[in-house]
Amino acid sequence: MRWRGGRSGGGVEDRRGMSGGAMAAGGGGIAIIVAIAAYFLGIDPNAANSIVSQVTGGGASQREGTFGTPGDPEGLFVDKISANINDVWAAKFGDSYKPPASIVIYEGGTGTACGQGQAAMGPFYCPGDQKVYLDLSFWKQMEELGAGSAESARAYVLAHEVGHHMQVLSGASQKVQQAQRSLGQEEGNRYSVALELQADCYAGVWASNAPAVSNGEVSFEPGDLEAGIEAAGAIGDDTLQRRQGGAVRPESFTHGSSAQRMEWLRRGFQNGDPSVCDGTFAGL
Ligand SMILES: [Zn+2]
């Protein structure tokens, strides 16, 4: 994947090295398990956060980090990919697209408007402060899950989270929450899946438009999309349920099956138009 020539200024807020409620020593193993559960099985970050803040005693400090372009390769990658994602959506939606308030990179734990964020939760978007939270150690966990170490897989995760920000801007998130109030668990989950697959589709649309807004400086080489698709497949709900040794129960899915996630990422990439992503709600 090409990205180094892309512009900087993706709105990164660097909180690495700030103390913000790191988990107690010895909690690492549990942390990884919770990460898998929270990110992949789609526990609502708000709910997961409040659980974590109960465990850690709350007190989520919302101290801001350093804004600007990080100098290290991992931070720089996040900054440049975020800048390109913002450029794609500004090109598609004009002024009605507002970038996330920041892309927070942190380690251990950090305060968020959704409660205490923990690396254990995997990447997430907090609607309360409109920030994406990303602990870079998650890349390692993705590798351990067989989701690949390719840069394109990492970029896909980032674009997926910004997709959730777009759903707040479009009102899709609020509509789903409203619908879920009057629905049972099973039917409510189908709405959550539609929302997740729409975010996957947005990630595909982003990838297909990335070169056009960067004079080709951010672009995908043959095999890159496959790596992203492989990541989507490795983190489908069915694959993860199997990995945990359980039977696959589609009615409990909140992110969609591996096949669905791959399909919508591909569909977004091939089509290149975000309106195609509304199709995940068809039939609901
Ligand atoms: Zn998601």
Side-chain angles (χ1 to χ4, degrees), residues 5 13 45 63 68 80 83 87 91 94 125 142 164 171-172 182 206 220 227 246-247 272:
E13 179 186 342
R63 274 196 301 149
K80 294 206 169 192
D87 287 347
Y125 171 74
M142 263 175 71
H164 287 313
S182 56
W206 161 67
F220 296 84

Side-chain angles (χ1 to χ4, degrees), residues 249-264:
R249 292 177 300 118
E251 76 279 6
S252 70
F253 288 179
T254 55
H255 276 73
S257 68
S258 295
Q260 284 175 310
R261 299 197 75 168
M262 293 192 281
E263 170 60 21
W264 280 102

Side-chain angles (χ1 to χ4, degrees), residues 160-161 164 196 255:
H160 173 99
E161 296 307 331
H164 287 313
E196 291 302 328
H255 276 73

